[in-house]
Amino acid sequence: MAAKLKKGDNVIVLTGKDKGKTGTIESVSPKTGKAVVGGLNMAVRHTRQSQQSQGGRIPQAMPIDLSNLAIVDANGKPTRVGFRMEGDKKVRFAKTTGDVIDA
């Protein structure tokens, strides 16, 4: 199945403790069906001090399931993603507005 959400997309969280918050996708793992969104779904990780890092309690963004994310359209509302052919290229577009997401 084609990837509907990609790295760098602006998304909104649909469910969970961060519901309604927006952010940018930092990484996507298609195998597990999860994505890391910057600044959302934060968890505290305790790390030991080493020569490279100070150590202590470090907040880290944890993966969110792709089904709980929706791309933000031009109006700032969540929308579904569709695919269509424009010439010889397959492009992603917002279902609500019909605008092409890939530039």
Side-chain angles (χ1 to χ4, degrees):
M1 189 170 148
K4 295 193 175 195
L5 299 176
K6 296 181 179 180
K7 180 179 177 180
D9 285 345
N10 288 325
V11 293
I12 189 166
V13 180
L14 300 176
T15 59
K17 67 179 182 180
D18 291 324
K19 179 179 180 178
K21 294 182 182 177
T22 60
T24 304
I25 295 181
E26 292 178 352
S27 67
V28 178
S29 177
K31 195 170 193 177
T32 60
K34 295 179 182 273
V36 175
V37 181
L40 300 180
N41 199 26
M42 299 299 283
V44 174
R45 291 288 171 246
H46 302 283
T47 58
R48 180 173 287 223
Q49 183 176 0
S50 66
Q51 289 182 338
Q52 289 83 20
S53 66
Q54 177 67 30
R57 298 174 43 145
I58 299 174
Q60 182 180 9
M62 301 303 288
I64 302 173
D65 202 81
L66 289 175
S67 64
N68 296 334
L69 299 174
I71 202 156
V72 177
D73 65 1
N75 301 328
K77 299 197 183 235
T79 184
R80 290 177 294 168
V81 177
F83 293 95
R84 67 177 172 219
M85 296 296 291
E86 288 192 357
D88 293 338
K89 295 187 86 173
K90 182 172 156 183
V91 295
R92 297 184 305 157
F93 71 98
K95 292 261 187 164
T96 55
T97 60
D99 296 336
V100 174
I101 296 169
D102 298 326

